[in-house]
Amino acid sequence: MRITCIGGGPAGLYFALLMKQQNPAHQITVLERNKPGDTFGWGVVFSDQTLTAMREADQKTADEILTAFNHWDDIEVHIEGRTLRSGGHGFCGIGRMKLLNILQARCVELGVDLRYECNVDDDEGLDADLIIACDGLNSRLRQKYTATYQPDIDLRQNRFVWLGTSRLFEAFTFDFQKTEFGWFQAHAYRFDEHTSTFIVEAPDAVWQAAGLEAMSKEDSIAFCEKLFAKVLDGHKLVSNAAHLRGSAQWIRFPRVVCKNWVHHNGRAPVVLMGDAAHTAHFSIGSGTKLAFEDAIALAKDMAAHPGDLQAALDHYQATRSIEVLRIQNAARNSTEWFENVERHARLAPDQFAYSLLTRSQRISHENLRLRDAAYVAAFEQWLAAQSGIAAPKPVPPMFTPFKLRGLRLKNRVVVSPMAQYSCVDGLPGDYHLTHLGARALGGAGLVFAEMTAPSPDGRITPGCPGLYTDAQGQAWRRIVDFVHAHSSAKIAMQLGHSGAKGSTRLGWEGIDQPLESGNWPLISASSQQYLEGVSDVSRAMTRADMDRVLAEFCAATERAAAAGFDWLELHCAHGYLLSSFISPLTNHREDEYGGSLENRLRYPLEVFRAMRRLWPAERPMSVRISAHDWVAGGTTPEDAVLIAAAFKAAGADLIDVSSGQVSKLEKPVYGRMWQTPFSESVRNRVGIATMAVGAISEADHVNSIIAAGRADLCAIARPHLANPAWTLSEAARIGYAGPQGLDWPRQYHAGKQQMEREFERQRASSAQAGGLSALEQANKALGV
């Protein structure tokens, strides 16, 4: 084949040499706009995974790169005069120029035609069977064929400048400095025997307030030297971007996502690779990694589909786009963490550093323990002390106690409220006693009853529970008494009115589908139809309706208190009645209860305040909110902060942070712990306790969330349906036997011992099967 790579960066050079190695008969040309010795940037970092793939693809090149690596194991975090260090991270860095030189020499050795100072604007006139557009972030070919590639470019908030220094950092170093303008941070790491990369970053507003926009390059470097003088220890900062002038050296990171990666122009396919196809924020060190892995993937696909270029390109795009999206999701989490340093800096330095280490959600609590057990043990003891316990041994964060008002929970695990559709006329019976009682015995600190209606027309389905009769109150009292008598768990009531989403079938008979008969009238903030053309149409509430519903919530609150519930939550999320007032998607009122967010909150706050006055002062009260409607024009995460602040001012003790289910037009972005960032934002910006929900399914998830200060409690839903003793099982799985935060029923002790033995055997087997990491194996082979 005749292959032309436009761009002589890592992606283009590596793909060229892999294809030439694969078949020396290929005619491969690399067209690079710069001179051979030109490069912009300083050092780059690699992961073990990337190095393993490179050794499989071309061991000679990988070995040359490896011998030029600088290795370090530790991360240091400097903040508020403290240095916090953790090890086992296994970084390796190399100068970008050195890396390019190795790739260039290998290309020449294999017979690749390298041409420099070739400024290629487009693919016209290129005589090739395949064109690789690896011409970087500002790819001209991507711009030319925008209609095909459909790029989505998100310009991030922070400004950063990429500098170098002769100060040799022995650990990957993060240094945070608070100024009168706001927070600045530095990312620094050594990449050869003389030089370290030194990236300075700050939010755009902080950068502008500091006057950096108007400074010359020299003055802005002097500003950074003064700001980071302590960590630089007398060393200077330098820039190798001599072609840049003034503030242009400070840039905002653009995250690039392309819907398609291949353009067919009737001549040769034009394929995106590297930064031209995608970008991931530098804070997770993935740009060069992705470029190499793109090249490896396409070369493999070409070899796997000889003579069928289209099949190779289809497989390349299908598989790489998924992997890149995974990396970009992690990079997004990391990006947003650095964009909000001011928020995280409200944490104590110990927790701030932990939050930094786990910011992308790729590194979890147990992963950190594998890297540096001593660091995690010391942190766990510190965190336990913040909860008021002085444990002689480390306590996993999920098993630390939590106190709110006069209530103390033994641990941070909550059984989430989950609809069971198993009541008759709103009356909970033996099923609910068994269901909630089993989960209270299962080790969770707090067990929630499902959303319970304050009136018959407030139910979602005929099978949903109520608290609008004395008989229902007595039935709930029976369940509460059982939980208190037979477990150390606490039990919570969640009150909510279904609004426009009511009068539907049981979940397994057709969720959100209207009843075939016996429907009841629906009310909401404004007239609406939840499922267009399917659901019954609700009518807008009158003032009389609002007074009636408020009184019903108050009566239910009094019954909940009399039943002995330890905790009360008001449901203001997911498109139900009170949520319909808050979301602009469902509130179109023109009176004092519509329009601005302040007005839309007016009625839910009226209800909450009335309930809080009736609810015993020593017992906590929380509010569940939808932090994001996932629909344009709906509630946003920024609105969620204001909503939470309003409920805090009204007396709420905790915000249960969920999202969505307000509109069927929603397009949520799912993933592991996908709603936790909303909880973290509310918690650390509003200064109120939060509960995280959504795809939290392992002890590792809970430990990471609590330890990083992203929430105070974690609500676990579906795992608790499958395993009522989820908390006890997860404790055994991670090897924690208590006693802090863990209370096995005496009747279950035989099962406890068997479970602990089985998980201990599995952990021992796993440890025995484990070996050296890919990087350690490569180092050992080379004697490094």
Side-chain angles (χ1 to χ4, degrees), residues 569-642:
E569 179 164 285
L570 178 62
H571 202 315
C572 294
H574 302 165
Y576 296 125
L577 181 68
L578 298 179
S579 169
S580 74
F581 276 86
I582 298 173
S583 174
L585 298 176
T586 50
N587 185 339
H588 306 294
R589 301 177 71 99
E590 296 181 353
D591 59 6
E592 66 270 31
Y593 295 96
S596 68
L597 178 59
E598 180 182 6
N599 284 355
R600 300 197 309 271
L601 277 167
R602 192 184 301 272
Y603 183 61
L605 288 171
E606 284 181 14
V607 174
F608 178 85
R609 290 191 187 100
M611 293 170 65
R612 179 69 265 187
R613 285 192 292 270
L614 296 170
W615 186 245
E618 71 278 8
R619 302 186 206 177
M621 190 167 169
S622 59
V623 181
R624 171 167 278 209
I625 67 170
S626 285
H628 198 328
D629 286 346
W630 301 103
V631 178
T635 299
T636 68
E638 288 300 310
D639 293 329
V641 172
L642 301 176

Side-chain angles (χ1 to χ4, degrees), residues 23 31 40 66 78 85 88 182 254 279 295 326 378 691 697 706 709 742:
N23 186 347
L31 305 177
F40 309 106
L66 184 63
H78 301 254
R85 191 177 183 114
T279 59
R326 185 183 70 82
M691 180 155 53
S697 58
I706 300 302
L742 200 58

Side-chain angles (χ1 to χ4, degrees), residues 228-311:
F228 295 101
K230 185 174 181 180
V231 75
L232 286 169
D233 194 26
H235 293 261
K236 295 291 186 181
L237 291 174
V238 294
S239 169
N240 68 354
H243 65 301
L244 298 175
R245 293 289 180 266
S247 62
Q249 63 183 323
W250 289 83
I251 61 175
R252 291 167 62 187
F253 185 86
R255 187 217 51 159
V256 176
V257 179
C258 289
K259 184 176 182 179
N260 300 303
W261 293 20
V262 181
H263 173 76
H264 296 279
N265 57 15
R267 301 185 302 278
V270 182
V271 183
L272 298 180
M273 186 177 287
D275 283 352
H278 47 68
T279 59
H281 195 258
F282 59 82
S283 62
I284 67 167
S286 57
T288 306
K289 161 192 167 68
L290 289 175
F292 274 101
E293 291 176 356
D294 283 354
I296 292 169
L298 184 52
K300 280 186 176 180
D301 289 336
M302 300 278 281
H305 299 86
D308 192 345
L309 179 59
Q310 186 59 53

Side-chain angles (χ1 to χ4, degrees), residues 458-512:
R459 292 173 298 163
I460 305 169
T461 75
C464 289
L467 198 45
Y468 45 84
T469 70
D470 291 341
Q472 292 164 351
Q474 292 166 5
W476 282 117
R477 178 82 209 194
R478 175 176 174 239
I479 294 168
V480 171
D481 286 348
F482 179 91
V483 170
H484 288 162
H486 296 283
S487 79
S488 56
K490 305 302 181 183
I491 185 166
M493 166 55 66
Q494 185 188 72
L495 290 175
H497 190 296
S498 60
K501 296 176 72 174
S503 190
T504 62
R505 303 176 197 175
L506 305 186
W508 46 81
E509 294 177 352
I511 194 164
D512 291 329

Side-chain angles (χ1 to χ4, degrees), residues 13-33:
L13 291 171
Y14 199 59
F15 180 71
L17 71 86
L18 290 181
M19 291 304 298
K20 194 67 174 177
Q21 176 184 251
Q22 190 177 112
N23 186 347
H26 288 323
Q27 298 175 28
I28 304 177
T29 305
V30 176
L31 305 177
E32 167 58 36
R33 70 169 67 96

Side-chain angles (χ1 to χ4, degrees), residues 380-391:
E380 285 182 340
Q381 287 194 291
W382 174 86
L383 192 65
Q386 309 313 300
S387 298
I389 59 173

Side-chain angles (χ1 to χ4, degrees), residues 77 79-80 82 84 347-354 382:
V77 180
I79 185 167
E80 295 183 4
R82 292 189 58 192
L84 300 107
L347 302 171
D350 304 78
Q351 196 166 36
F352 176 89
Y354 181 97
W382 174 86

Side-chain angles (χ1 to χ4, degrees), residues 149-420:
Y149 298 127
Q150 298 182 50
D152 176 12
I153 302 177
D154 177 21
L155 198 60
R156 300 306 307 180
Q157 299 175 22
N158 277 12
R159 294 271 180 174
F160 71 95
V161 60
W162 205 294
L163 303 170
T165 179
S166 57
R167 162 82 156 91
L168 300 181
F169 293 93
E170 297 305 323
F172 198 117
T173 300
F174 295 100
D175 190 83
F176 297 86
Q177 296 294 331
K178 187 176 184 179
T179 72
E180 60 186 299
F181 315 109
W183 284 90
F184 284 80
Q185 58 260 15
H187 312 232
Y189 57 90
R190 174 180 177 175
F191 64 83
D192 65 24
E193 63 274 22
H194 305 296
T195 321
S196 296
T197 290
F198 199 92
I199 305 170
V200 180
E201 184 185 16
D204 185 68
V206 173
W207 176 79
Q208 291 194 41
L212 285 158
E213 184 175 19
M215 289 186 193
S216 67
K217 182 178 69 175
E218 292 74 20
D219 287 344
S220 67
I221 290 176
F223 175 91
C224 294
E225 285 178 345
K226 182 178 179 181
L227 182 59
F228 295 101
K230 185 174 181 180
V231 75
L232 286 169
D233 194 26
H235 293 261
K236 295 291 186 181
L237 291 174
V238 294
S239 169
N240 68 354
H243 65 301
L244 298 175
R245 293 289 180 266
S247 62
Q249 63 183 323
W250 289 83
I251 61 175
R252 291 167 62 187
F253 185 86
R255 187 217 51 159
V256 176
V257 179
C258 289
K259 184 176 182 179
N260 300 303
W261 293 20
V262 181
H263 173 76
H264 296 279
N265 57 15
R267 301 185 302 278
V270 182
V271 183
L272 298 180
M273 186 177 287
D275 283 352
H278 47 68
T279 59
H281 195 258
F282 59 82
S283 62
I284 67 167
S286 57
T288 306
K289 161 192 167 68
L290 289 175
F292 274 101
E293 291 176 356
D294 283 354
I296 292 169
L298 184 52
K300 280 186 176 180
D301 289 336
M302 300 278 281
H305 299 86
D308 192 345
L309 179 59
Q310 186 59 53
L313 296 180
D314 288 345
H315 192 263
Y316 166 70
Q317 175 174 306
T319 55
R320 282 304 292 160
S321 60
I322 294 172
E323 175 62 16
V324 166
L325 183 60
R326 185 183 70 82
I327 297 296
Q328 286 184 320
N329 284 341
R332 181 189 65 229
N333 293 336
S334 182
T335 305
E336 291 176 354
W337 194 96
F338 282 107
E339 289 174 344
N340 294 287
V341 165
E342 181 177 7
R343 185 161 86 214
H344 305 299
R346 297 172 188 174
L347 302 171
D350 304 78
Q351 196 166 36
F352 176 89
Y354 181 97
S355 176
L356 169 62
L357 293 173
T358 59
R359 66 193 181 279
S360 71
Q361 297 186 17
R362 292 193 303 170
I363 296 177
S364 66
H365 193 73
E366 291 307 313
N367 187 268
L368 269 184
R369 195 190 306 278
L370 286 173
R371 294 167 185 241
D372 190 340
Y375 166 79
V376 172
F379 176 77
E380 285 182 340
Q381 287 194 291
W382 174 86
L383 192 65
Q386 309 313 300
S387 298
I389 59 173
K393 294 182 179 180
V395 177
M398 67 185 286
F399 292 112
T400 57
F402 179 65
K403 191 173 186 299
L404 208 57
R405 291 201 181 225
L407 185 69
R408 184 180 187 271
L409 302 179
K410 63 183 176 182
N411 62 46
R412 307 303 185 101
V413 179
V414 176
V415 176
S416 192
M418 294 174 283
Q420 299 297 293

